[in-house]
Amino acid sequence: MLKMMIGFMKDYWKYRDAVKKQHRWIVKYAAQKGYAINPSLMMSKNLEVWLSEMEATFGKRYCPCFEPSGDAKLDKQMCCPCEFIDDEIDEYGTCHCALFGRGDLDKAGWKASSQRLMGEYRVPLNMKEGVLDTRGMPLDPRRGLPIPDAMHQMKATLNGYGGKTLCMIVEREQEAKNLETIAAFRGYGFSKAETGDGITVTLDLEGGNAQGTSGSCGQ
């Protein structure tokens, strides 16, 4: 918990100007739609930070729940506020990431939505012999994207990770492309190697050149 709080404070300070802009449009949009904003200050500020990070990394304000799909139409639909928001609020009481909810949603409703979200993303990671296999996750019924995706599994792994490199197996080329974008933004080294049943990605967390290191993953 302490590491998470320290990480949040660092990210909040890094994106403090962008967070203010995110907050302004969020308040305006909620008022226009008659929606409520998540009453948990920690949750809502985290989401504002994550929206800022998505925009800084990928150039668009993608929903922080999903990495870009590579499909132009779907990616446009996933820009926050996403095109699935009304349907999800009808079903869950909140949008998928629980930033917006029904105007009359009570405390129990917000808690249930947060628990649903945590249940989707806080899953055991498939880390074997030093390699994170991100494949095989359930798909979101509206977007057809895995939950959690490779990006979120990477972030979960790096929370407290002590290694100098992180090796991952992803299923789709777009996932490898997204990791390359994240690596460039964060200053990591990056390499990839295609195998018969996926793509092995190596991230050099110390910012070196990861080329040629993929084959040593897990060894």
Side-chain angles (χ1 to χ4, degrees), residues 167-189:
C167 298
M168 303 172 60
I169 302 175
V170 301
E171 190 169 3
R172 299 183 301 116
E173 177 62 33
Q174 182 61 36
E175 293 172 306
K177 182 178 179 181
N178 290 338
L179 291 173
E180 184 172 13
T181 300
I182 294 169
F185 180 75
R186 294 190 174 192
Y188 298 159

Side-chain angles (χ1 to χ4, degrees), residues 105 213-215:
L105 193 64
T213 65
S214 305

